[in-house]
Amino acid sequence: MTRIPKSRSVVLVGLAYPHHTEVAGIENAVPVQRHVRASGHCFHAARVLCASGISAHLVSACGGDEEADVVGEALVEAGILDGRIVWLDRLGARRTTRLDTQGQVIEDRQEFSIADRLTPRVLSRRHVRHALDQADAWIIDASLPEVTLEHLATRPARPLLLAMSHSGVEARRLRPILRHADVVVLPRPCAISVCDARPDTTQEELAERLHDLGVRNAIVCGCGTFLILDAGAILPQEVEGTPGDDCEGLIAGTLIAKMLAAQPFPVAARAAMAAARSRHAE
């Protein structure tokens, strides 16, 4: 992976949270296996950036529960600057995925309401404002309130901006800022939701709808293929799509790393897709 001078920095604003995975026992009763790890698209993107030699500063909302330590330790291990803002009287974000013994998802619960605390006023705190002002790029996630997304996307003299989402419902919050984002990374279901399109919408139709909403450069992943938009035009690509929870974060981190290394968007996009495919194959 291309090495970047240490002076480069990216601020990521979104959720990092403990992701619990449980494997159910007989008749889906008491879990027989439990595993917890730090997760979140911004967290995954920040790890990729740090591995590329970029300083990654993660601004997230954190509760007062003990599980916050899971994320804190993962940030330290990855070399990510911990910019979490803590509310001691609140439970933090978390995700719990319950699987059967064959690996099929039985239940997937998410609690991300603490992200609503990341308002423009909170982000105006001196240390956060300083980090934003000094960054070469921002990555923002649709888990943020709409007012915060718009506040960041329309801020004067902002750097390179990448917007992403993991949820079809939350992805709709991005609609007012799509024309402001330099790059958008979405799984196909989120892109469908943003465009109010049918699930069977063709890649060409989806590209046209995204372009009509003001999207310039984008990667839409999942469902077997990637869709790359370069100034609204579909780019040919030979890399198959990649499923997986961390796909969008991996792509976002790789994409920004390559673009900060002065790679044009089409080259950076193909590198990001290749990285996602390689990770999934491991």
Side-chain angles (χ1 to χ4, degrees):
M1 187 175 287
T2 303
R3 302 299 296 181
I4 314 293
K6 286 292 185 180
S7 58
R8 293 291 193 179
S9 66
V10 176
V11 172
L12 304 98
V13 187
L15 288 180
Y17 51 84
H19 183 176
H20 295 257
T21 302
E22 300 177 353
V23 178
I26 299 174
E27 298 181 355
N28 299 331
V30 179
V32 295
Q33 297 179 35
R34 288 188 175 94
H35 175 68
V36 60
R37 61 183 176 87
S39 190
H41 286 338
C42 281
F43 170 74
H44 293 306
R47 285 202 306 177
V48 173
L49 291 165
C50 287
S52 302
I54 295 175
S55 175
H57 187 132
L58 179 61
V59 177
S60 184
C62 179
D65 45 305
E66 293 182 0
E67 290 185 342
D69 292 341
V70 172
V71 176
E73 292 169 1
L75 294 176
V76 171
E77 182 179 353
I80 301 167
L81 297 176
D82 189 349
R84 290 177 298 166
I85 301 171
V86 181
W87 283 270
L88 293 175
D89 61 336
R90 299 270 302 201
L91 290 177
R94 64 179 291 164
R95 178 179 177 185
T96 302
T97 303
R98 190 173 173 85
L99 309 173
D100 63 21
T101 53
Q102 304 302 313
Q104 298 299 310
V105 176
I106 301 171
E107 184 180 17
D108 192 18
R109 301 193 309 273
Q110 301 176 3
E111 174 48 60
F112 294 160
S113 61
I114 196 171
D116 293 340
R117 296 292 179 113
L118 292 172
T119 63
R121 182 176 180 180
V122 168
L123 297 186
S124 69
R125 296 181 183 185
R126 181 178 299 178
H127 68 285
V128 178
R129 190 171 66 248
H130 177 76
L132 290 168
D133 289 342
Q134 298 300 312
D136 298 290
W138 299 345
I139 296 178
I140 59 177
D141 188 270
S143 61
L144 301 172
E146 287 186 31
V147 64
T148 304
L149 293 169
E150 188 166 358
H151 168 74
L152 291 170
T154 59
R155 186 170 169 176
R158 65 158 177 78
L160 180 68
L161 175 67
L162 182 147
M164 62 179 172
S165 178
H166 71 283
S167 161
V169 175
E170 292 179 351
R172 298 180 64 83
R173 301 177 187 175
L174 296 177
R175 291 191 67 164
I177 71 162
L178 289 174
R179 67 184 183 277
H180 299 290
D182 297 290
V183 185
V184 179
V185 176
L186 296 171
R188 180 177 166 88
C190 290
I192 292 290
S193 178
V194 165
C195 296
D196 286 327
R198 303 183 313 276
D200 61 349
T201 295
T202 66
Q203 298 284 61
E204 291 75 16
E205 291 172 336
L206 187 58
E208 183 177 354
R209 284 174 175 262
L210 288 170
H211 181 64
D212 289 344
L213 289 173
V215 174
R216 288 170 286 172
N217 300 321
I219 297 180
V220 179
C221 49
C223 298
T225 60
F226 284 105
L227 170 64
I228 315 170
L229 298 183
D230 179 24
I234 297 179
L235 291 181
Q237 50 87 15
E238 298 80 29
V239 182
E240 295 179 356
T242 307
D245 283 347
D246 62 350
C247 181
E248 289 74 46
L250 173 60
I251 289 173
T254 306
L255 190 61
I256 290 297
K258 295 297 183 181
M259 293 180 75
L260 289 181
Q263 296 287 343
F265 174 74
V267 176
R270 290 191 175 97
M273 292 186 305
R277 185 185 186 197
S278 176
R279 176 69 62 85
H280 181 62
E282 292 177 358

